């Protein structure tokens, strides 16, 4: 009898092992219609149309009048950025915005790269498509889709693009030359917002996949941080045969047992595969994880539940919009910047660059629709969707920037992405990697692509 029990147990273990192995599942591709009303009976216009960012004196005058009528509350003494955006420093930004910032000049900067729009699933999707200025004879550029997050935009990639499309003239090897496609997430900036509920990261991944097919790319690389990392991950789960490689600088990987090891990791580092660098970035646990999450996640709860309410205020006030967004560019770049009177904003960014990103939200009136993306992705429960439980089976790279909101050790990342072939501890940088450290990120992308191409 004991032999039978032992054999049955062994058989059960073998069955469990086979069933629980990494199953190369894919998400169903499906289809959708997100424009107003019912889907038209005729086929969708698949033309790709040139687009230019434009402005007017009327738009600028309205902005100036709203800034002039600002009503601020004085900050508490010695509060710095601990209570949110410090209104004393905000006055400096508003003075610059009203009197020195040249939106017409920044519109020219935005139009430096070619913009386009095309209809996909009922929405006008905006993107920039930047090809190499010159190619060595016989070379073909590698298509690379780069996806932004919130509260960023396609503009985050403007400084990394030259390193990727023209590497030799920017201090990098020209072994890998890319043509870069940067779309705007639906409801962000110049991409049309959905008229219907349910447009989440998986839908966005499908729309961007259709965009790449429409541009003539059957295989391509994808890169993203923040929502971009999730959208690119979903694309790899939808169409793995089309994604040559996935590069991310943020990963949502809480649906496994590894985070539970944090409580024992300090005493059993080797057992859980933590390196010395992991220990520096994860501990002390209270400060690096729990207090940090509590401090920085209030916006997430608001936007995942009732985004339209706060959206009414932000869409009506450029000052409120700037404070709400720029606060993220302070503490998400480096949490220690909350100890500074100016939030450290100008240590990594210029006011022109920061205000250009704000103006993309302001002039398009898309702050509310951008915030709805949280509701669509988290409104059914935190990480409740199937894709959060699925693994990703395409070659993957992870760039671990030291000031990212939550550090993800290599063991954690490999659980979600079994084909992880590159994991890099980046020398510096935070959440807005391409915006903060374009050369560092470009070098890591090139390193990863080299590994994929040699496989």
């Amino acid at each position: 009898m004991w032999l039978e029990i032992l054999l049955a147990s062994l058989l059960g273990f073998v069955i469990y092992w086979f069933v629980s192995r990494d199953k190369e599942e894919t998400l169903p591709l499906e289809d959708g219609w997100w424009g107003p009303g019912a889907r038209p009976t005729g086929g969708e216009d698949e033309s790709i149309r040139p687009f230019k960012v434009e402005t007017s004196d009327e738009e600028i005058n309205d902005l100036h009048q709203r800034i002039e009528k600002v009503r601020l509350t004085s900050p508490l003494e010695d509060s710095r950025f601990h209570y949110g955006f410090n209104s004393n420093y905000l006055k400096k930004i508003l003075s610059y915005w009203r009197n020195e910032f040249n939106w017409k000049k920044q519109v020219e900067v935005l139009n430096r790269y070619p913009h386009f729009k095309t209809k996909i699933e009922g929405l006008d999707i905006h993107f920039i498509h930047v090809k190499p200025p010159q190619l060595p004879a016989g070379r073909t550029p590698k298509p690379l889709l780069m996806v932004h997050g919130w509260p960023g935009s396609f503009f985050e990639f403007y400084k990394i693009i030259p390193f990727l499309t023209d590497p030799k003239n920017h201090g990098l090897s020209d072994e890998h030359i890319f043509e870069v496609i940067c779309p705007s997430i639906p409801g962000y900036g110049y991409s049309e917002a959905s008229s219907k509920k349910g447009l989440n990261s998986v839908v966005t991944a499908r729309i961007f996949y259709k965009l790449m097919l429409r541009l003539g790319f059957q295989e391509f690389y994808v890169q993203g941080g923040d929502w971009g990392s999730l959208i690119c991950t979903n694309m790899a789960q939808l169409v793995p045969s089309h994604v040559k490689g996935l590069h991310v600088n943020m990963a949502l990987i809480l649906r496994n047992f590894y985070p539970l090891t944090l409580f024992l990791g300090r005493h059993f580092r080797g057992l859980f595969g933590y390196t010395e660098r992991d220990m520096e970035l994860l501990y002390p646990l209270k400060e690096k994880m729990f207090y940090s999450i509590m401090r920085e996640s209030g916006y997430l709860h608001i936007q995942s539940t009732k985004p339209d309410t706060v959206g009414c205020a932000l869409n009506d006030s450029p000052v409120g919009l700037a404070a709400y967004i720029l606060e993220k560019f302070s503490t998400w770049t480096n949490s220690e910047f909350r100890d500074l009177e100016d939030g450290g904003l100008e240590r990594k960014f210029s006011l022109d660059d920061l205000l250009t990103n704000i103006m993309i939200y302001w002039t398009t009136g898309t702050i509310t629709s951008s915030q709805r993306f949280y509701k669509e992705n988290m409104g059914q429960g935190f990480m409740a969707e199937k894709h959060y439980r699925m693994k990703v089976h395409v070659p993957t790279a992870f760039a671990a920037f030291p000031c990212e909101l939550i550090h993800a050790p290599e063991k954690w990342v490999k659980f979600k992405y079994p084909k992880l072939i590159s994991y890099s501890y980046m020398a510096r940088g935070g959440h807005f990697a391409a915006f903060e450290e374009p050369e560092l990120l470009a070098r890591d992308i090139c390193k990863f692509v080299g590994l994929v191409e040699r496989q």
Side-chain angles (χ1 to χ4, degrees):
M1 184 181 76
W2 288 109
L3 180 61
E4 291 172 345
I5 293 173
L6 180 62
L7 290 173
S9 300
L10 183 62
L11 179 62
F13 174 79
V14 171
I15 293 172
Y16 172 79
W17 184 78
F18 272 101
V19 170
S20 63
R21 281 191 310 173
D22 292 344
K23 293 182 292 184
E24 296 203 13
E25 294 180 275
T26 58
L27 289 169
L29 196 56
E30 299 180 340
D31 196 11
W33 176 263
W34 308 96
R39 182 196 289 265
T41 52
E44 191 166 55
D45 176 12
E46 295 188 358
S47 64
I48 295 172
R49 314 179 310 277
F51 170 77
K52 284 190 76 173
V53 180
E54 296 179 340
T55 188
S56 65
D57 290 336
E58 181 183 12
E59 183 176 69
I60 295 169
N61 290 337
D62 175 70
L63 170 72
H64 288 171
Q65 289 170 13
R66 290 170 185 263
I67 293 174
E68 289 164 1
K69 293 179 180 179
V70 65
R71 185 177 64 176
L72 297 177
T73 301
S74 297
L76 296 173
E77 295 176 5
D78 196 35
S79 59
R80 292 161 286 174
F81 265 58
H82 287 271
Y83 283 69
F85 208 97
N86 188 292
S87 57
N88 284 340
Y89 179 62
L90 183 57
K91 290 175 185 176
K92 177 190 172 182
I93 290 180
L94 297 182
S95 175
Y96 183 86
W97 199 2
R98 171 62 182 86
N99 302 309
E100 298 178 59
F101 179 75
N102 188 335
W103 176 229
K104 288 183 178 179
K105 178 184 174 184
Q106 293 306 113
V107 164
E108 292 176 5
V109 170
L110 290 176
N111 286 324
R112 189 177 297 161
Y113 294 134
H115 294 246
F116 303 91
K117 284 191 176 185
T118 188
K119 283 277 186 185
I120 304 177
E121 297 193 14
L123 300 178
D124 237 358
I125 300 301
H126 162 263
F127 62 99
I128 60 171
H129 185 178
V130 188
K131 298 181 180 181
Q134 53 190 14
L135 270 173
R139 297 280 297 278
T140 303
K142 299 173 176 66
L144 172 64
L145 178 77
M146 303 189 80
V147 185
H148 67 88
W150 187 92
S153 64
F154 66 93
F155 180 61
E156 288 180 67
F157 300 115
Y158 267 49
K159 290 183 179 178
I160 196 175
I161 286 172
F163 290 107
L164 299 168
T165 59
D166 191 16
K168 194 168 185 180
N169 287 322
H170 291 85
L172 273 66
S173 165
D174 65 352
E175 180 184 2
H176 305 293
I177 302 175
F178 301 88
E179 59 179 295
V180 179
I181 300 91
C182 303
S184 295
I185 296 171
Y188 286 67
Y190 305 108
S191 275
E192 186 179 357
S194 175
S195 295
K196 297 173 174 60
K197 296 185 290 184
L199 194 151
N200 59 16
S201 62
V202 175
V203 172
T204 304
R206 183 178 70 226
I207 287 173
F208 290 170
Y209 163 63
K210 291 180 178 181
L211 170 64
M212 295 302 279
L213 292 184
R214 194 169 293 182
L215 291 171
F217 302 119
Q218 290 296 320
E219 287 187 318
F220 44 87
Y221 290 94
V222 295
Q223 198 285 327
D226 196 84
W227 282 129
S229 71
L230 183 58
I231 292 165
C232 292
T233 292
N234 292 157
M235 195 178 297
Q237 292 168 325
L238 284 165
V239 287
S241 62
H242 293 266
V243 177
K244 287 192 74 174
L246 165 68
H247 186 290
V248 292
N249 51 279
M250 182 178 175
L252 296 170
I253 47 177
L254 299 179
R255 287 298 292 261
N256 65 59
F257 74 91
Y258 276 110
L260 298 177
T261 66
L262 285 169
F263 300 99
L264 297 172
R266 197 161 200 175
H267 305 288
F268 303 98
R269 190 187 92 191
L271 179 64
F272 300 120
Y274 293 155
T275 65
E276 282 190 31
R277 186 61 175 143
D278 290 332
M279 302 299 285
E280 293 170 1
L281 296 172
L282 289 170
Y283 297 92
L285 196 57
K286 276 187 181 179
E287 174 57 36
K288 294 288 181 71
M289 296 290 285
F290 300 117
Y291 293 163
S292 177
I293 290 171
M294 287 294 292
R295 271 196 307 267
E296 299 301 332
S297 62
Y299 83 98
L300 187 146
H301 186 71
I302 292 172
Q303 294 173 195
S304 298
T305 53
K306 299 180 180 179
D308 286 25
T309 304
V310 68
C312 290
L314 300 177
N315 200 44
D316 189 57
S317 168
V319 177
L321 179 68
Y324 194 73
I325 287 179
L326 293 182
E327 183 239 301
K328 308 306 178 196
F329 280 89
S330 167
T331 51
W332 291 4
T333 299
N334 189 325
S335 63
E336 294 180 1
F337 284 175
R338 70 185 186 278
D339 295 325
L340 303 175
E341 294 289 344
D342 64 356
L345 276 171
E346 294 174 75
R347 295 191 177 196
K348 281 294 187 79
F349 312 107
S350 71
L351 289 183
D352 278 347
D353 285 347
L354 290 170
L355 290 171
T356 296
N357 183 63
I358 300 297
M359 289 295 286
I360 291 170
Y361 281 91
W362 174 253
T363 57
T364 58
T366 52
I367 187 61
T368 304
S369 51
S370 75
Q371 292 175 154
R372 287 175 184 159
F373 205 62
Y374 285 80
K375 174 78 168 177
E376 304 299 3
N377 283 288
M378 298 183 176
Q380 305 305 313
F382 185 61
M383 296 194 169
E385 301 290 339
K386 178 185 178 183
H387 64 85
Y388 286 113
R389 301 186 294 275
M390 288 175 56
K391 298 191 177 185
V392 179
H393 296 279
V394 304
T396 303
F398 187 82
F401 284 86
C403 295
E404 182 55 276
L405 293 168
I406 299 177
H407 173 63
E410 184 174 357
K411 281 274 189 181
W412 297 17
V413 179
K414 193 143 192 162
F415 184 88
K416 173 79 174 179
Y417 303 89
K419 293 188 178 180
L420 182 74
I421 62 172
S422 174
Y423 181 97
S424 305
Y425 293 103
M426 308 304 284
R428 59 190 176 275
H431 187 71
F432 304 98
F435 211 28
E436 295 175 50
E437 299 291 346
E439 183 175 350
L440 282 182
L441 183 61
R443 288 184 182 277
D444 200 66
I445 292 169
C446 291
K447 181 185 79 170
F448 165 60
V449 170
L451 292 172
V452 175
E453 299 281 323
R454 287 191 290 272
Q455 279 189 335

